Amino acid sequence: MEQEKDKLEQLRDTIAQCDAAITEALKTRMACIKEIIAYKREYGIPVLQPEQEKKQLDAVMHSTKDSVFRHEILHIFEGIIENSKRIQAKELFDKNILLIGFMGAGKTTVSACLGNLLAMEVMEMDAYIQKKEGMSIKDIFAVHGEEYFRNCESNTLISLQEKRHMVVSCGGGVPLREKNVALMKKSGYVVWLTATPEAIFDRVKDSTERPLLNGNMRVDFIRDLMESRREKYEAAADICIDTTEKDIVEICEELLQKLFSLQNIN
Ligand code: S3P
């Protein structure tokens, strides 16, 4: 019995040593993440390097290929990488990032990509309102009218004021109200995504979920509506990115670099 107890204590000691080693390794790893971000910013190196994440996971896959705990270790590594991205995002931005722009400008796609690459929480404003109201945007317009929908947008922005490190994909009409612009600016960096009317048309032509375009699905209508909103978008935006014919990581990287320049100016 005495011997068995010793054995148990020994195993527990070994675990305690492992935990201490893991903790130290994680502290070192996380400090490196902070240094890497500072270095990339200083030397203008792209922040988003998705291929690097793949390399890290491949290395762990390789070194665990004979382990019975492979699955568990990989799961832990995914968590470590996720947390590293969170550290990165906090280093990069102290506020939210709000994406504005015309329907089909790429707000949803860009916010999802940024959310994934930097482990930032994403809010899709239309989806949030639909869930809260228990009906589609199309039905909100039909049942309550556009004014009611615009009030939902303003209320969503108010509820965002306490949040940090979020990417918010705003509905295309959000910057039309001055009050909304003030709320957006208070909450974070406002990024205006734009594209040519032809590219927009191509992206939204099969959608029936955008009441303003239903029955108006034509390039000239899109061009006119975009033009009539241009001034409002311009006034709200801290930076602008044309998404026409760019790939998604390229757009996200341009966004980050432009936000850094903005931070350096302010
Ligand atoms: C609108 C844009 C839509 C949606 C609603 C009204 C607008 O959002 O909020 O149909 O006024 O431009 P998306 O820009 O995300 O499509």
Side-chain angles (χ1 to χ4, degrees):
M1 188 62 191
E2 234 2 77
Q3 227 178 357
E4 277 156 17
K5 234 171 122 188
D6 280 356
K7 172 81 180 154
L8 187 60
E9 282 316 309
Q10 268 174 25
L11 288 170
R12 284 178 175 157
D13 276 353
T14 308
I15 285 182
Q17 283 165 21
C18 287
D19 287 350
I22 292 169
T23 307
E24 282 313 304
L26 284 175
K27 282 198 236 165
T28 309
R29 194 182 196 285
M30 289 172 185
C32 284
I33 300 286
K34 281 183 87 156
E35 273 193 53
I36 285 178
I37 271 297
Y39 188 87
K40 283 181 173 175
R41 280 188 73 154
E42 189 175 344
Y43 294 100
I45 298 167
V47 173
L48 304 173
Q49 294 176 320
E51 70 286 357
Q52 186 59 26
E53 179 177 332
K54 193 178 171 305
K55 251 194 230 167
Q56 289 167 340
L57 277 174
D58 282 351
V60 182
M61 295 255 251
H62 182 74
S63 55
T64 54
K65 67 178 186 311
D66 300 322
S67 169
V68 285
F69 304 118
R70 182 175 209 218
H71 180 78
E72 288 76 10
I73 295 173
L74 280 173
H75 186 69
I76 290 167
F77 260 88
E78 280 162 13
I80 290 174
I81 290 174
E82 194 71 5
N83 277 289
S84 294
K85 290 183 191 172
R86 233 167 259 145
I87 292 169
Q88 262 192 351
K90 282 190 186 143
E91 280 299 298
L92 295 174
F93 307 110
D94 51 346
K95 302 195 264 180
N96 299 318
I97 298 176
L98 298 103
L99 303 177
I100 61 164
F102 201 75
M103 295 168 261
K107 298 174 301 253
T108 303
T109 316
V110 171
S111 59
C113 184
L114 271 183
N116 178 27
L117 292 172
L118 290 173
M120 292 171 84
E121 191 187 334
V122 177
M123 177 198 261
E124 175 65 43
M125 202 182 274
D126 280 351
Y128 176 85
I129 294 173
Q130 292 187 73
K131 193 164 171 221
K132 198 151 183 262
E133 296 296 312
M135 61 175 100
S136 70
I137 303 290
K138 205 160 90 180
D139 289 346
I140 300 176
F141 268 70
V143 175
H144 300 295
E146 180 168 350
E147 189 63 13
Y148 179 88
F149 174 71
R150 299 300 176 199
N151 289 338
C152 293
E153 290 181 324
S154 300
N155 291 336
T156 310
L157 283 176
I158 291 170
S159 72
L160 259 177
Q161 295 302 311
E162 305 302 311
K163 302 272 189 178
R164 286 285 169 273
H165 303 118
M166 280 183 75
V167 188
V168 185
S169 168
C170 300
V174 170
L176 301 182
R177 283 188 176 178
E178 246 169 65
K179 170 180 150 192
N180 290 353
V181 174
L183 285 167
M184 285 195 291
K185 285 197 179 288
K186 234 169 88 185
S187 145
Y189 304 102
V190 183
V191 177
W192 174 23
L193 300 182
T194 183
T196 61
E198 290 76 12
I200 298 270
F201 171 77
D202 214 48
R203 293 174 193 168
V204 300
K205 63 180 185 301
D206 299 322
S207 158
T208 54
E209 287 305 313
R210 291 174 164 110
L212 298 179
L213 295 181
N214 288 348
N216 296 313
M217 202 54 94
R218 300 183 312 275
V219 174
D220 63 335
F221 180 86
I222 290 173
R223 181 180 296 112
D224 290 349
L225 188 56
M226 279 176 83
E227 217 30 61
S228 72
R229 288 180 170 187
R230 167 175 294 280
E231 226 174 276
K232 301 272 187 199
Y233 288 142
E234 221 160 43
D238 290 312
I239 61 165
C240 175
I241 297 168
D242 188 342
T243 63
T244 314
E245 284 177 21
K246 285 182 190 154
D247 83 40
I248 182 67
V249 176
E250 209 180 332
I251 296 168
C252 290
E253 190 58 44
E254 185 177 333
L255 184 155
L256 294 181
Q257 297 301 334
K258 284 188 170 164
L259 286 185
F260 296 160
S261 308
L262 189 75
Q263 287 174 329
N264 288 342
I265 296 167
N266 294 329

